[in-house]
């Protein structure tokens, strides 16, 4: 059995001008989809997705410390952390 690579080409390479389908005396206006611009718009954050208006009035440092304290307390209650370790690593 022969491979497909052994078959002759459909449009054999020929020199000269006016060779069938491949002649082009003028430029073509046909474009490929790959030539067109794709993703041209950025998606903006909507209300409630952390947009600058949502974040403007927040004290993020205080919120972070509060969440860290709650996580540390939960770890102490769950037995994953000793109370002495929690006080030494508190910042």
């Amino acid at each position: 059995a022969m491979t497909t690579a052994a078959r002759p080409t459909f449009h054999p390479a020929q020199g000269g001008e006016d060779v069938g389908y491949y002649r082009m005396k003028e430029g073509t206006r046909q474009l490929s989809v790959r030539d067109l611009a794709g993703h041209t718009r950025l998606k903006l954050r909507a209300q409630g997705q952390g947009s600058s208006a949502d974040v403007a009035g927040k004290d993020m440092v205080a919120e972070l410390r509060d969440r860290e304290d709650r996580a540390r307390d939960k770890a102490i209650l769950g037995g994953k952390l000793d109370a002495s370790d929690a006080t030494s690593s508190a910042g």
Side-chain angles (χ1 to χ4, degrees):
M2 296 179 67
T3 66
T4 56
R7 296 181 181 173
T9 57
F10 187 72
H11 294 289
Q14 297 175 356
E17 295 180 17
D18 285 343
V19 180
Y21 176 78
Y22 292 106
R23 85 174 156 258
M24 236 191 295
K25 294 187 179 180
E26 299 175 12
T28 179
R29 285 196 253 165
Q30 193 171 17
L31 288 176
S32 169
V33 171
R34 294 181 180 125
D35 295 332
L36 300 175
H39 306 274
T40 57
R41 294 187 193 145
L42 292 175
K43 292 171 70 174
L44 300 176
R45 290 178 187 240
Q47 190 73 20
Q49 290 184 330
S51 63
S52 56
D54 294 337
V55 177
K58 289 186 177 183
D59 183 9
M60 292 190 178
V61 174
E63 289 181 16
L64 177 64
R65 287 187 179 139
D66 183 43
R67 284 197 306 267
E68 286 178 343
D69 289 343
R70 279 190 271 139
R72 189 178 308 110
D73 293 343
K74 187 175 178 182
I76 290 172
L77 289 175
K80 295 179 183 175
L81 194 65
D82 289 334
S84 60
D85 292 339
T87 54
S88 64
S89 65

